[in-house]
Amino acid sequence: ALSTREREVLLALARGYTYGETAELLHISPHTVGDHVKKIYSKLAVRSRAEAVFEAVQAGWLSPR
């Protein structure tokens, strides 16, 4: 299960935001965004943003567009 912050990061990345833009949006550093992404990838057993978004949609955490 992803934490609330990890879901927020994943949602921003799914919307196409860069790490820097995500950091500004969530008031955290780009390094922290990267740390969250590493945890997301590990928890979802994926290796890319596209795979992470796909898994999140499959789990019902994000709506497909």
Side-chain angles (χ1 to χ4, degrees), residues 5-26:
R5 183 58 99 185
E6 289 166 349
R7 286 185 191 201
E8 291 170 343
V9 168
L10 183 55
L11 179 60
L13 296 176
R15 291 181 173 162
Y17 289 103
T18 65
Y19 282 26
E21 292 167 336
T22 299
E24 286 184 32
L25 179 71
L26 300 176

Side-chain angles (χ1 to χ4, degrees), residues 8-53:
E8 291 170 343
V9 168
L10 183 55
L11 179 60
L13 296 176
R15 291 181 173 162
Y17 289 103
T18 65
Y19 282 26
E21 292 167 336
T22 299
E24 286 184 32
L25 179 71
L26 300 176
H27 307 288
I28 57 178
S29 76
H31 177 76
T32 302
V33 172
D35 287 343
H36 284 305
V37 170
K38 287 177 189 175
K39 290 177 186 174
I40 291 165
Y41 285 11
S42 177
K43 288 181 178 183
L44 298 180
V46 299
R47 293 181 289 172
S48 72
R49 179 188 300 211
E51 286 180 309
V53 171

